[in-house]
Amino acid sequence: MLDAVRAAFPASPATALHVERFSPPPVVGGRAFRLVLARSGAVLDVPADRTALDVVREVRPDVAYSCRQGFCGTCRVGEHLLCTDRPAGDRLVLDL
């Protein structure tokens, strides 16, 4: 869609169009933790170098997310973002 808008937008200094694409930052200095999906009772181990979203999608491919397409906040479960957040402790329980 962004490519179509850029192609249709007049290219002149007076009508400059600013477009950004982003993705979540890579996990650096992460720590492994256990993720509990409360509704199903599934217990998942999230390695230090992966996101909770990556691990959750292996068992719940239908979980909503769009952060990798440039829309932040769509992977929010309660107060947590699955693509970036890590728990303060060794375990995180989500309402999934």
Side-chain angles (χ1 to χ4, degrees):
M1 180 177 83
L2 290 176
D3 291 336
V5 169
R6 287 166 83 184
F9 205 84
S12 75
T15 57
L17 175 66
H18 178 81
V19 176
E20 291 184 28
R21 294 177 189 236
F22 68 94
S23 62
V27 177
V28 177
R31 181 170 58 70
F33 64 95
R34 183 153 285 168
L35 180 63
V36 179
L37 306 184
R39 290 185 203 175
S40 67
V43 178
L44 311 173
D45 290 319
V46 180
D49 63 343
R50 296 188 66 206
T51 67
L53 178 62
D54 291 333
V55 174
V56 167
R57 290 198 67 237
E58 289 176 358
V59 297
R60 290 276 314 271
D62 62 328
V63 73
Y65 79 100
S66 292
C67 52
R68 294 180 182 143
Q69 292 83 28
F71 301 98
C72 190
T74 58
C75 68
R76 183 176 303 279
V77 177
E79 61 191 47
H80 300 285
L81 290 173
L82 292 178
C83 60
T84 58
D85 288 356
R86 297 194 99 69
D90 295 331
R91 183 180 145 168
L92 178 62
V93 178
L94 294 177
D95 186 25
L96 280 178

